[in-house]
Amino acid sequence: MLPAQRQLYNHPDSAGPITLHTADDFEGMRAAGRLAAEALDMITEFVVEGVSTAALDKRIQAFVEGAGAVSATIGYRGYQHASCISLNEVVCHGIPSDNTRLEDKDILNIDVTVIKDGWHGDTSIMVGVGDVAPHAERLMRITQECLYQALALVKPGAALGDLGHVIQQHA
């Protein structure tokens, strides 16, 4: 537990105590999330035909470490990459490889999790390579719209089912 946190109480249905966070804690969370987002902003220009997913991963690792953070995925259960890069039909947690090179029409999800000053930032982005098929372009656009519509509902007291409903209706 970080020093500024304090435990409130043990809820009977939880695995442990509920922790109240301070304004400084939230700033730490924001900084970690911002760094993860910046890593994705940086890598998108390198998503081009012919590049290997391993080359993208190495750039992400260098960026994260250059910002004074570490990748949360490196060393997790033996995993040795700074990202998960899922290509086309791979749903999630694709493993970067020197043998996997991007081709025209590919779509990929790049997932990055960083640890900065003890806080985790985790985010992902869908990116198209070259001339992406209309159905793939639509998939990327609609899923992002679903995300934003669900995020607009997030507030204290919001029900998870309401988020799922707005996603299902829009999709």
Side-chain angles (χ1 to χ4, degrees):
M1 179 162 57
L2 296 167
Q5 299 171 340
R6 50 187 193 99
Q7 295 177 358
L8 179 61
Y9 66 92
N10 280 324
H11 188 277
D13 295 331
S14 75
I18 295 172
T19 302
L20 294 180
H21 294 283
T22 67
D24 287 343
D25 294 338
F26 287 115
E27 186 47 45
M29 293 177 207
R30 282 186 201 94
R34 190 169 30 252
L35 176 59
E38 289 169 354
L40 294 179
D41 287 343
M42 174 278 302
I43 202 62
T44 57
E45 73 177 275
F46 299 102
V47 176
V48 295
E49 192 172 350
V51 72
S52 73
T53 55
L56 295 174
D57 183 71
K58 288 178 179 106
R59 282 188 183 275
I60 290 167
Q61 182 176 355
F63 180 85
V64 170
E65 291 175 355
V70 296
S71 169
T73 54
I74 294 176
Y76 178 75
R77 295 189 175 196
Y79 194 72
Q80 293 304 308
H81 304 281
S83 64
C84 295
I85 301 177
S86 306
L87 194 59
N88 298 320
E89 73 281 349
V90 176
V91 175
C92 67
H93 300 145
I95 300 171
S97 167
D98 286 320
N99 297 325
T100 304
R101 298 204 171 266
L102 302 182
E103 298 178 7
D104 187 44
K105 299 186 181 353
D106 281 342
I107 59 172
L108 61 152
N109 181 272
I110 304 172
D111 187 352
V112 174
T113 306
V114 303
I115 304 172
K116 176 135 180 88
D117 300 326
W119 296 104
H120 285 71
D122 186 352
T123 191
S124 69
I125 191 170
M126 289 290 300
V127 184
V129 179
D131 187 26
V132 175
H135 70 277
E137 194 70 50
R138 183 172 185 266
L139 173 70
M140 292 189 295
R141 180 179 48 81
I142 296 292
T143 54
Q144 187 166 24
E145 290 170 0
C146 287
L147 169 68
Y148 291 142
Q149 287 193 18
L151 287 174
L153 299 178
V154 175
K155 63 183 177 192
L160 184 59
D162 293 340
L163 278 63
H165 178 75
V166 76
I167 291 169
Q168 184 177 16
Q169 291 304 303
H170 188 71

